[in-house]
Amino acid sequence: MNREVFSLNQLLREMTVDCAIEADVRGCRLVARGEDAILVRADHELLRRAVENILRNAIRHAPEGTSIEITLNGQPSTVSVSIRDYGPGVPEEMLSSIFKPFFRVDGARDSASGGVGLGLAIAQSAIALHSGNLSATNMQPGLLVRIELPGDLKVPSEDNVVVNIS
């Protein structure tokens, strides 16, 4: 892994902007909220891919006229990113399988209509490489997918010092 210090807030902002057109085409809107400046020491590209896969999956399943909510929360022991849509959710008996490679809730879907079942598996692997956890919960309506990263990935405030040399 290529660990670097970066703003998780900025990563989520970038992903929200990148996915906004796709959401607009589907008649949805993205709503991001969270805490000020959470810096982490992690692999930027792996976390970007994880968030992107989860976010695009939420957009794909969100009904027209609804929102996809992206929430960032930092606690001393964890940093969490939650992405919630207001779609149909996942049958309870399938929740534990959605992070497995090639698993799709609707087996009749093809790559043109819903992917091949790798997006959430890629996200799971990326989060696991950071010693984190990825989970999904039905919200009635919708699905909430939560990334939980260990608090030790957060950069302490004394590391947040920027020195400009002219």
Side-chain angles (χ1 to χ4, degrees):
M1 288 198 320
N2 181 25
R3 291 187 187 263
E4 58 185 292
V5 175
F6 62 92
S7 166
L8 202 47
N9 309 68
Q10 182 63 31
L11 173 78
L12 294 177
R13 270 192 294 277
E14 290 167 4
M15 292 311 312
T16 301
V17 169
D18 287 351
C19 294
I21 294 172
E22 186 177 339
D24 190 49
V25 167
R26 300 244 339 133
C28 303
R29 66 187 188 103
L30 303 178
V31 178
R33 49 179 77 92
E35 298 183 16
D36 295 333
I38 295 180
L39 296 180
V40 293
R41 182 173 286 111
D43 189 305
H44 183 275
E45 183 60 19
L46 286 178
L47 287 184
R48 187 197 65 76
R49 286 181 188 177
V51 170
E52 179 179 27
N53 282 316
I54 297 165
L55 187 53
R56 290 190 190 282
N57 195 61
I59 293 168
R60 188 177 305 117
H61 296 287
E64 186 175 342
T66 62
S67 297
I68 292 105
E69 299 167 355
I70 305 125
T71 306
L72 174 63
N73 188 358
Q75 300 295 323
S77 62
T78 62
V79 174
S80 68
V81 176
S82 298
I83 298 175
R84 180 188 178 178
D85 66 56
Y86 287 84
V90 173
E92 287 295 326
E93 67 275 8
M94 295 182 175
L95 269 177
S96 63
S97 299
I98 64 172
F99 301 113
K100 294 178 182 174
F102 304 109
F103 181 83
R104 294 179 312 202
V105 172
D106 181 357
R109 289 192 322 195
D110 60 19
S111 61
S113 65
V116 296
L118 286 175
L120 293 178
I122 290 168
Q124 172 75 19
S125 294
I127 300 308
L129 284 170
H130 289 87
S131 301
N133 184 48
L134 189 59
S135 62
T137 306
N138 280 314
M139 297 301 291
Q140 318 295 321
L143 186 70
L144 181 130
V145 178
R146 176 170 291 142
I147 297 169
E148 291 183 335
L149 299 169
D152 62 0
L153 292 181
K154 287 173 55 176
V155 176
S157 59
E158 61 265 20
D159 288 353
N160 295 348
V161 176
V162 176
V163 178
N164 293 319
I165 301 175
S166 347

